[in-house]
């Protein structure tokens, strides 16, 4: 069973992914795959360098801050970057998925699940949502980004109300970690019922 897990920046989707992994899911993190897709020597990094030479550092590695400054302010540039990175991420994800044990639930943690259409290849989707102010506080604590930059990144993602309409399950993360775990376990149990052949 393939499950797509998503949520806006600061919603807590990585925490949900960790809980699902502890329950027995094989979790595949699209952000991790995206880093691999643009690692030094990769085809992805070569193509990025051809389009945006200024975002390649003197050592030949990707200057992520410079790339973010280009793509988060311009939807067309962001679309061009997605066209380079997403196919590579999908290929890497398929390789990891092939390692799943028979009957194991595979969870793809994908920030742009609905935006990229990956939800259409999933058996179920899980959306993690949280109040905007809570999300901003979490991001400020962990990243050091300013509120304007956070707002820009949040605006680049699908509207949470639209995502909630499309998701199979919605987990609201406005409480404690224990509360989040209970809600995640409930979704896991629902997924298990939906996949009766799961080992």
């Amino acid at each position: 069973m393939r499950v797509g897990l998503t949520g806006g920046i600061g919603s807590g989707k990585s925490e949900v992914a960790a809980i699902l992994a502890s329950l027995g899911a094989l979790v595949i993190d699209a952000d991790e795959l995206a880093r691999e897709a643009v690692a030094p020597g990769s085809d992805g990094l070569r193509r990025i360098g051809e389009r945006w030479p200024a975002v390649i550092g003197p050592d030949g590695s990707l200057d992520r801050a410079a790339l973010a400054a280009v793509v988060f302010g311009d939807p067309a540039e962001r679309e061009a970057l997605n066209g380079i990175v997403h196919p590579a991420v999908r290929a890497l994800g398929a390789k990891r998925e092939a390692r799943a044990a028979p009957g194991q639930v595979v969870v793809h943690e994908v920030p742009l699940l609905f935006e990229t259409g990956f939800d259409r290849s999933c058996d179920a989707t899980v959306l993690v949502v949280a109040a905007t102010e809570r999300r901003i506080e979490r991001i400020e604590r962990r990243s050091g980004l300013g509120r304007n930059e956070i707002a820009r990144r949040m605006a680049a993602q699908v509207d949470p109300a639209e995502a909630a309409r499309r998701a199979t399950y919605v987990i609201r993360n406005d409480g404690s970690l224990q509360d989040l775990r209970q809600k995640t376990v409930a979704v896991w149990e629902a997924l298990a019922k939906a996949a009766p052949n799961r080992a």
Side-chain angles (χ1 to χ4, degrees):
M1 184 179 199
R2 181 186 292 145
V3 177
L5 170 65
T6 195
I9 181 172
S11 64
K13 72 180 173 301
S14 294
E15 198 60 58
V16 169
I19 295 166
L20 290 170
S22 76
L23 293 168
L26 170 64
V27 175
I28 299 172
D29 180 352
D31 280 344
E32 184 185 315
L33 299 183
R35 286 189 290 274
E36 195 176 320
V38 298
S42 68
D43 183 57
L45 185 63
R46 178 187 61 75
R47 291 178 63 198
I48 287 170
E50 286 171 359
R51 182 168 177 116
W52 303 285
V55 306
I56 305 299
D59 62 352
S61 67
L62 180 63
D63 181 340
R64 293 179 184 284
L67 183 60
V70 171
V71 302
F72 280 111
D74 186 329
E77 296 291 73
R78 192 163 64 247
E79 194 58 38
L81 177 64
N82 289 343
I84 294 169
V85 176
H86 290 161
V89 167
R90 286 184 181 174
L92 291 166
K95 280 187 189 173
R96 296 217 182 162
E97 190 174 274
R99 299 180 203 156
Q104 186 176 21
V105 173
V106 179
V107 175
H108 287 265
E109 183 185 350
V110 184
L112 301 176
L113 181 73
F114 298 111
E115 296 92 325
T116 60
F118 189 72
D119 60 303
R120 292 192 294 272
S121 64
C122 296
D123 300 301
T125 55
V126 179
L127 171 70
V128 185
V129 295
T132 302
E133 198 53 43
R134 291 289 291 269
R135 291 171 60 195
I136 291 170
E137 286 168 11
R138 287 174 189 150
I139 301 161
E140 281 180 325
R141 272 201 310 270
R142 74 180 187 218
S143 71
L145 292 172
R147 290 179 80 89
N148 287 346
E149 178 60 21
I150 292 168
R152 214 156 59 111
R153 294 189 181 200
M154 288 170 76
Q157 297 181 316
V158 70
D159 176 59
E162 169 63 14
R165 189 183 64 74
R166 295 169 64 178
T168 315
Y169 304 98
V170 178
I171 296 174
R172 178 155 284 285
N173 180 24
D174 286 326
S176 66
L177 191 54
Q178 183 181 358
D179 177 59
L180 181 63
R181 183 173 180 84
Q182 286 174 345
K183 289 175 178 174
T184 304
V185 168
V187 168
W188 174 256
E189 288 170 353
L191 290 169
K193 281 180 190 162
N197 297 325
R198 189 169 65 83

